[in-house]
Amino acid sequence: MILSGRLADLGCRSVLRIRRSAIRWNVEEIYRFSGKKIIAVVKSDAYGIGVKQVAPILRELDPVDSFAVACVEEGVFLRELGIRREIIILGGILPEELEAVKEYRLTPVVSDPEHLKVIGKEDIRFHVKYDTGMGRLGFVDEIVDDPRIVGVMSHLSTPADREFSLRQIESFRRIAEMYSGKGLKVHIESSAGIVYRVPFATHVRIGLALYGEKPLRDYPLKLEPAVSVFARVLSVKEVPAGFPISYGRTYVTEKRTRIGVVAFGYADGLMKSLSNRGYLLFEGNKLPILGNITMDMTVVEVGDLGVKPGDWVSVVDESRTFGDLAREAGTIPYELMCNISSRVKREVI
Ligand SMILES: *Cc1c(COP(=O)(O)O)cnc(C)c1O
């Protein structure tokens, strides 16, 4: 939902705040650790954070030498934001997208003979992808040779599994060797894969770590959380013992309880699986979630913290990342981030 005119600053009771300095730091840290230029992965609206806010920050940073998105439409959007660097389309190319790929000078990843057919004799540069054990996109047995190839890539399926990843990297090394001496971009490392410091790769392909989220528990890079999410308190009241909370009465108070109603629900991205399990934060204090999370609101226990209507509570902040929340919700930070909806106002500081 986008408000226009004099109402544009009103916001919808919740804010996702992006810290420019943290993104800058993370890019430098990735560059320092890997020694390679960065392909910044900003697919799916920059992992739900807001590509309109994130791309202009990344564009100013030297180590970022290209961008990657999932589909042609996202690539066109990036160009229209004024991004001049290479824009890689990870999801290949479909016939009806050919004109846009040409017009917007996008760089598709070819992972299927059909992609080559779509490209035909057009003057389109592309990367070619090999499947070394991801079991998704990429050639398995076939080797593609074409003067328009500007990059060769593969993807790790299980970066936490050292033995399997090293086998994938070795298969990819043999493939990449066939393209050596042509000045191609060679890339296989994602945020988690970066720990393998692949010596023959020229680039790393990084999404999650840009935003300060750790892809592995033991992660050697020192990242700064770049994203916080806050929401307003709408109402605070005291209810007696034995009082049911929210739809389905899945929680009933055991004692007299002060509850707060927060303007953030599953439509904003707070997964319903956190009902009766997770917590929100007020000035560093945990506010346990009571009862079912609803579409637009969540009920929390506020105790004697002095929370009042209009106050801000945090869903995610520097002390509790998407990764922490994901563990509580039984999912991964990627999914939680992508779920933050467009009505949560984006703000860059
Ligand atoms: C999304 C994606 C990445 C980035 O992964 P992160 O774990 O976010 O760094 C890299 N490569 C491919 C092919 C992807 O789809």
Side-chain angles (χ1 to χ4, degrees), residues 87-135:
I87 298 176
I88 299 168
I89 311 297
L90 296 169
I93 180 169
L94 295 170
E96 65 273 22
E97 297 167 345
L98 183 64
E99 284 313 307
V101 165
K102 277 170 29 188
E103 186 178 340
Y104 288 86
R105 292 167 294 104
L106 304 175
T107 308
V109 172
V110 164
S111 335
D112 189 288
E114 282 301 316
H115 300 161
L116 280 175
K117 262 196 229 160
V118 171
I119 290 174
K121 298 217 173 337
E122 300 286 354
D123 178 24
I124 291 173
R125 285 151 197 235
F126 58 87
H127 291 223
V128 58
K129 184 169 192 176
Y130 291 94
D131 194 336
T132 56
M134 172 65 190

Side-chain angles (χ1 to χ4, degrees), residues 66-197:
S66 24
F67 287 83
V69 292
C71 62
V72 171
E73 190 187 10
E74 290 178 348
V76 169
F77 190 77
L78 260 189
R79 273 282 177 259
E80 293 195 328
L81 285 177
I83 300 296
R84 293 232 166 81
R85 298 178 200 184
E86 179 185 47
I87 298 176
I88 299 168
I89 311 297
L90 296 169
I93 180 169
L94 295 170
E96 65 273 22
E97 297 167 345
L98 183 64
E99 284 313 307
V101 165
K102 277 170 29 188
E103 186 178 340
Y104 288 86
R105 292 167 294 104
L106 304 175
T107 308
V109 172
V110 164
S111 335
D112 189 288
E114 282 301 316
H115 300 161
L116 280 175
K117 262 196 229 160
V118 171
I119 290 174
K121 298 217 173 337
E122 300 286 354
D123 178 24
I124 291 173
R125 285 151 197 235
F126 58 87
H127 291 223
V128 58
K129 184 169 192 176
Y130 291 94
D131 194 336
T132 56
M134 172 65 190
R136 196 175 62 177
L137 287 177
F139 293 94
V140 178
D141 298 318
E142 208 170 328
I143 293 293
V144 180
D145 187 22
D146 190 293
R148 296 167 297 179
I149 295 175
V150 291
V152 53
M153 63 184 280
S154 188
H155 196 37
L156 300 174
S157 64
T158 326
D161 181 338
R162 186 164 186 89
E163 199 187 316
F164 189 77
S165 298
L166 291 176
R167 241 187 292 159
Q168 277 197 269
I169 290 166
E170 176 53 20
S171 308
F172 183 52
R173 190 188 60 76
R174 274 186 253 121
I175 295 164
E177 224 163 48
M178 291 188 254
Y179 294 92
S180 67
K182 296 183 177 168
L184 305 192
K185 293 187 178 176
V186 177
H187 43 107
I188 185 169
E189 295 151 274
S190 58
S191 296
I194 199 173
V195 301
Y196 296 106
R197 301 187 193 248

Side-chain angles (χ1 to χ4, degrees), residues 2-11 345:
I2 315 279
L3 294 175
S4 60
R6 98 194 140 76
L7 292 178
D9 285 334
L10 208 49
K345 187 178 173 179

Side-chain angles (χ1 to χ4, degrees), residues 41 43 47 90 129 136 155 190-191 205-208 334:
V41 182
K43 63 199 183 199
Y47 291 35
L90 296 169
K129 184 169 192 176
R136 196 175 62 177
H155 196 37
S190 58
S191 296
R205 218 167 49 231
I206 308 291
L208 196 73
Y334 302 81

Side-chain angles (χ1 to χ4, degrees), residues 232-279:
R232 306 295 289 278
V233 174
L234 300 175
S235 168
V236 176
K237 69 182 173 203
E238 210 163 276
V239 295
F243 205 81
I245 304 292
S246 189
Y247 287 128
R249 311 195 313 275
T250 58
Y251 184 86
V252 178
T253 55
E254 282 164 11
K255 53 181 190 330
R256 225 179 149 69
T257 306
R258 272 186 90 70
I259 62 169
V261 180
V262 178
F264 206 84
Y266 59 76
D268 301 289
L270 194 63
M271 299 171 88
K272 192 162 176 287
S273 58
L274 288 165
S275 298
N276 285 309
R277 294 177 54 196
Y279 59 87

